[in-house]
Each structure stands twice: as C-alpha cells, then as structure tokens.
Amino acid sequence: MRVVNTGYQLNSAWEICYGPDDSLWVTESKSYVVEKINPINGGKTQLLNLSGQGDFASNLSDWPQGGLMGMVLHPTMYNEWPNPSKPWVYLAYVYHNEGCAASNAGCFFKTRIVRYVYDRANQKLKNPQTIIESLNGS
C-alpha cells in the first residue's frame, strides 16, 4: 500500500465512498463541500460547494451535528460507467435552524435530501432536485 502525503487536510469529513472512477468521493460536514480525491497522487477536485445553503451562522455555538452528511451514488454510476444512464448523486444536509431551546437543550435543525446530476466532462454536480425537505435534523 502506498501512502500519499497530500499537504492538505479535510474539514470534518463525514462520508467517504469509493467512486466508479477509482477516486474517493468525500463530503465535508462543516464546510459543506463535496470533493473527489485521487488515491494515487492525492489530487483533489471540488465537485460542489453548498456553503451558502444553510440559514445559520458558521460560528453558531450549537453547530448542527450533521452539516453536509450522507452521499449516495446511484448504482448505474458503477455498473454503466463511464456513461451511466442515471448519473445521480444524492446528498443529505442540514439547511435550516428552527431555533434553540432556552434551557440549553440544544437547537433544532431541518435536513433535506437533494439529487444532483454528475457532469463528468466538467467534474461538477449540477441540476439540484429536492427529493425530501423538512426532515428533523441534528
């Protein structure tokens, strides 16, 4: 096994999955970024930045446990690569602060699940379609 020193760190990596293109697909919880990392040379490509999707400050004292959380690649991404018929990537992230309890019992957040299309040519996630909204989060 070869270990690569990339010279950078991830910001609260939450989900890491092995992609159909032999790279690691990563969600970073607190920075709300989706990236691909080449495990051979350590190269990093940002696929999506959702940092503007939350309606709460990043310095919130009771930060949501999740942030940008889960990620799933549609099965056709793997079994039809490099031209999947459904190049879909699903993301779950906390986007709304419902408010905080006065008794230090924590804050209440909402989570949404969104489907994106993976644009292989430009290495970006685009065309968001909300699948589920207003799930209790954190």
Side-chain angles (χ1 to χ4, degrees), residues 56 60-64 97-109:
F56 47 88
L60 185 66
S61 63
D62 209 354
W63 180 259
N97 182 355
E98 289 279 297
C100 299
S103 62
N104 284 336
C107 296
F108 305 97
F109 295 92

Side-chain angles (χ1 to χ4, degrees), residues 26-37:
V26 180
T27 64
E28 293 191 23
S29 174
K30 290 190 177 184
S31 65
Y32 280 68
V33 171
V34 180
E35 297 168 316
K36 286 191 338 175
I37 299 174

Side-chain angles (χ1 to χ4, degrees), residues 9 13 18 20 29 32 39 42-43 47 50 67-69 78 80 83 91 95 103 113 123 126 131:
Q9 294 188 19
Y18 191 71
S29 174
Y32 280 68
L47 302 177
L50 291 171
L68 173 55
M69 299 174 285
Y78 295 95
E80 296 178 2
N83 298 305
L91 298 172
Y95 71 96
S103 62
I113 298 175
Q123 296 197 54
K126 63 180 190 176
I131 304 298

Side-chain angles (χ1 to χ4, degrees), residues 14-81:
W14 185 284
E15 181 80 38
I16 301 174
C17 66
Y18 191 71
D21 55 356
D22 296 329
S23 62
L24 300 175
W25 293 49
V26 180
T27 64
E28 293 191 23
S29 174
K30 290 190 177 184
S31 65
Y32 280 68
V33 171
V34 180
E35 297 168 316
K36 286 191 338 175
I37 299 174
N38 182 317
I40 303 300
N41 64 21
K44 185 164 94 169
T45 303
Q46 187 176 98
L47 302 177
L48 183 66
N49 183 335
L50 291 171
S51 61
Q53 292 298 307
D55 68 354
F56 47 88
S58 61
N59 62 355
L60 185 66
S61 63
D62 209 354
W63 180 259
Q65 178 183 354
L68 173 55
M69 299 174 285
M71 172 177 52
V72 174
L73 281 62
H74 193 278
T76 63
M77 291 278 284
Y78 295 95
N79 60 26
E80 296 178 2
W81 191 259

